[in-house]
Amino acid sequence: MEPPHRPQKEKKDLMKTKIYESMVLLDNALVREDWKKAKATVTDTLTKYGASIVTCRRYDEKKLAYQIKGKNRGTFVMCYFTLEKDTMAEIRREWELNEKVLRSLILRVEEVPATEHELAAAENNADFVVPAPPPDDMVEEEEPIIDPVPLDEIMVPDLNDVDLEPKA
């Protein structure tokens, strides 16, 4: 018995592109070095696997609550993109293997928020400069490491001289 024939409209609905939102946490050192290169770390991976980028922008820079891959600070990048084929596993895997990507999260969304286009456009201006971190959130200088006491200066008692007999 032959399977029922699907109307053409249903086939188009199945092939409909899906909209995704990704939040990627990047190594802050890369962002401070060159913002366009840092952003390309995210966008190049997406386009490599067939995604069409709707918007992509710097979301925020934060001091992390705990170290991730030895880093105390990170910059969040927010991207909205469409994807027709199912290559999400490959995108996630590439970000996991990239040492500049500290964490990533990808969610499927119904639509891109209206304000997102304005925010991304403002960042794409030629005069955009990555803002400095807030003063209360600046990278703190590491405390100097105190040299341990040299081994030849440590006093170890001679156990032969110690009276181990209990006193009565």
Side-chain angles (χ1 to χ4, degrees):
M1 183 171 182
E2 287 187 34
H5 183 336
R6 289 187 179 173
Q8 190 67 18
K9 184 178 179 184
E10 282 186 54
K11 285 184 180 180
K12 284 184 182 178
D13 289 345
L14 290 175
M15 296 301 290
K16 188 177 181 181
T17 59
K18 298 173 185 168
I19 303 172
Y20 295 94
E21 172 187 274
S22 67
M23 180 70 76
V24 181
L25 178 60
L26 294 177
D27 178 1
N28 206 45
L30 176 67
V31 174
R32 290 282 164 213
E33 181 182 306
D34 183 4
W35 164 238
K36 293 188 186 302
K37 182 179 173 184
K39 186 176 174 180
T41 302
V42 177
T43 57
D44 290 352
T45 301
L46 292 172
T47 54
K48 177 180 175 181
Y49 292 104
S52 176
I53 297 169
V54 178
T55 66
C56 191
R57 67 179 181 89
R58 179 185 177 277
Y59 183 76
D60 202 3
E61 175 187 336
K62 292 281 185 186
K63 181 176 181 181
L64 304 175
Y66 55 90
Q67 280 192 352
I68 301 175
K69 294 185 181 178
K71 307 296 180 185
N72 293 320
R73 295 189 67 77
T75 298
F76 293 91
V77 178
M78 169 88 68
C79 283
Y80 287 89
F81 60 95
T82 59
L83 192 61
E84 289 183 17
K85 53 186 177 178
D86 190 22
T87 55
M88 197 60 64
E90 289 88 350
I91 293 170
R92 286 188 171 127
R93 181 73 177 146
E94 184 153 331
W95 282 342
E96 285 174 10
L97 295 175
N98 188 330
E99 61 188 33
K100 300 296 181 185
V101 175
L102 305 178
R103 291 280 192 276
S104 65
L105 175 69
I106 303 173
L107 302 171
R108 185 168 173 205
V109 294
E110 295 298 318
E111 62 184 24
V112 177
T115 58
E116 199 61 33
H117 293 286
E118 296 168 13
L119 294 169
E123 184 178 289
N124 289 333
N125 289 337
D127 60 343
F128 177 77
V129 177
V130 176
D136 61 336
D137 209 19
M138 295 286 272
V139 177
E140 299 162 5
E141 294 293 325
E142 292 184 21
E143 294 181 24
I145 298 173
I146 300 171
D147 289 332
V149 177
L151 292 177
D152 60 346
E153 292 181 20
I154 298 175
M155 298 293 294
V156 179
D158 186 3
L159 295 178
N160 292 328
D161 295 339
V162 177
D163 185 19
L164 299 176
E165 297 289 323
K167 295 184 181 179

